[in-house]
Amino acid sequence: MPTEHPTRAAGLTWITGASSGLGQAAAIRYARLGRMVAASARSVGGIDDAARLAAERGALGEAAVAPIRAVGLDVTDRAAVGAAVARIEDECGPIGMALLNAGTHEPVSVDEAGHGFDAATFRRLIDINVMGVVHAVEALVPRMAARRGGTIAIVSSVAGYRGLPTASAYGLTKAGLINMAEALRIDLARCGIDVRLVCPGFVRTPLTDRNNFRMPFLMDADEAAKRLVDGLDRPGGFEVTFPRRFTWQIKLLRLLPYALYFPLVRRSTT
Ligand SMILES: NC(=O)c1ccc[n+]([C@@H]2O[C@H](COP(=O)([O-])OP(=O)(O)OC[C@H]3O[C@@H](n4cnc5c(N)ncnc54)[C@H](OP(=O)(O)O)[C@@H]3O)[C@@H](O)[C@H]2O)c1
């Protein structure tokens, strides 16, 4: 059983949720590093923008800008995810790295009368954030195992570290992804598959543009994509998290007992 995980993924990188924000910025960065990308999302317009922007900004380093191949895909559709992975590998070659980034956020605010808690919100977020990743892992594992190689990088969030106000649905999905990635890191090593976890803090994207609260250490998507790509290229690690000054503060909250955690979070968020 392999214990050392390969790092810089060879071959094609497949990115889900690449039509905007972090996924789009990562697609542009990989392409500018000369690494071919298959990029998917429901709206391919944003992926075409990524290919254009990568070409306009030019190469990073010696290699020429690589193509970005757009694949329209809704990750909640299990059969479509399986078909998309098969098509990408048939047309572009084996996926060396899958960056499972597609995700969304909807706040859950409960008013004093108890209104606002809605199961439909939870189902939507679980379908996209969790089942979208599960569908991709299901399609990738037999293929990567047959090659005894490949990296699956799962994008979670610092919101998965501990319960935060209005994030009961989003946090549930992101905490679940952290736990799943830890388990898969152990389980898939025996197939030669490297599982990585990405936990960003606040990144300026269409998702956070909707927030009406102060976001400490907010990063631009290009800088976040640089940290993400550099982190995934670094040998031997599991988690990639940025900006570290912020994410480590949130990580430390995990060590606090509830008697200290709840008053602290209430004070700093109200
Ligand atoms: N921004 C932050 O501060 C932050 C912090 C921590 C973690 N994250 C995580 O980072 C990831 C990217 O977020 P972002 O901030 O870049 O948000 P974003 O700009 O809203 O991008 C989300 C991406 O996911 C895609 N997507 C959503 N639903 C989909 C579906 N059903 N099928 C396929 N693709 C779907 C969207 O494309 P279409 O709508 O075209 O399908 C879009 O490309 C998410 O998992 C998010 O939870 C973000």
Side-chain angles (χ1 to χ4, degrees):
M1 181 166 51
T3 50
E4 289 298 309
H5 288 282
T7 49
R8 193 182 193 287
L12 179 70
T13 296
W14 174 41
I15 304 176
T16 66
S19 62
S20 66
L22 189 55
Q24 187 192 55
I28 294 170
R29 185 152 191 96
Y30 277 120
R32 295 180 70 207
L33 288 166
R35 289 149 73 173
M36 191 180 168
V37 174
S40 61
R42 290 167 302 185
S43 48
V44 288
I47 300 173
D48 295 338
D49 291 345
R52 185 179 45 75
L53 284 168
E56 269 172 27
R57 292 182 197 169
L60 283 165
E62 311 247 308
V65 177
I68 297 177
R69 171 69 193 274
V71 181
L73 177 64
D74 182 336
V75 293
T76 64
D77 182 338
R78 179 184 177 193
V81 174
V85 168
R87 197 175 121 214
I88 290 166
E89 293 212 333
D90 284 351
E91 294 177 6
C92 309
I95 295 169
M97 151 93 80
L99 178 60
L100 305 181
N101 162 80
T104 193
H105 176 47
E106 292 182 46
V108 175
S109 298
V110 183
D111 66 20
E112 283 171 17
H115 299 136
F117 190 92
D118 174 15
T121 308
F122 283 75
R123 187 168 301 283
R124 272 194 302 278
L125 292 194
I126 290 169
D127 277 348
I128 297 173
N129 295 2
V130 178
M131 293 314 295
V133 171
V134 170
H135 294 154
V137 171
E138 180 186 49
L140 289 162
V141 165
R143 292 170 175 272
M144 288 183 168
R147 298 192 283 272
R148 301 211 66 73
T151 299
I152 297 175
I154 294 173
V155 178
S156 175
S157 165
V158 294
Y161 289 164
R162 282 205 89 155
L164 295 168
T166 73
S168 56
Y170 182 71
L172 174 158
T173 65
K174 294 300 181 177
L177 289 180
I178 293 172
N179 195 295
M180 181 170 83
E182 289 173 355
L184 289 178
R185 169 87 174 173
I186 301 162
D187 291 343
L188 298 187
R190 69 173 64 93
C191 319
I193 300 171
D194 184 22
V195 175
R196 305 289 302 267
L197 172 69
V198 181
C199 285
F202 289 114
V203 181
R204 194 188 310 277
T205 69
L207 185 146
T208 48
D209 287 346
R210 301 196 291 261
N211 292 345
N212 56 6
F213 52 85
R214 192 181 69 84
M215 292 176 276
F217 299 100
L218 181 67
M219 288 182 96
D220 282 336
D222 287 347
E223 181 57 26
K226 179 179 183 320
R227 306 276 181 100
L228 183 154
V229 170
D230 289 352
L232 291 177
D233 278 351
R234 210 164 293 128
F238 171 59
E239 184 184 19
V240 178
T241 181
F242 48 83
R244 289 169 75 91
R245 272 175 307 167
F246 175 62
T247 60
W248 279 90
Q249 284 176 34
I250 305 291
K251 209 179 260 271
L252 282 175
L253 291 180
R254 287 204 288 200
L255 302 176
L256 288 185
Y258 289 123
L260 293 176
Y261 174 71
F262 289 124
L264 180 74
V265 169
R266 262 191 216 107
R267 247 204 328 274
S268 48
T269 56
T270 50

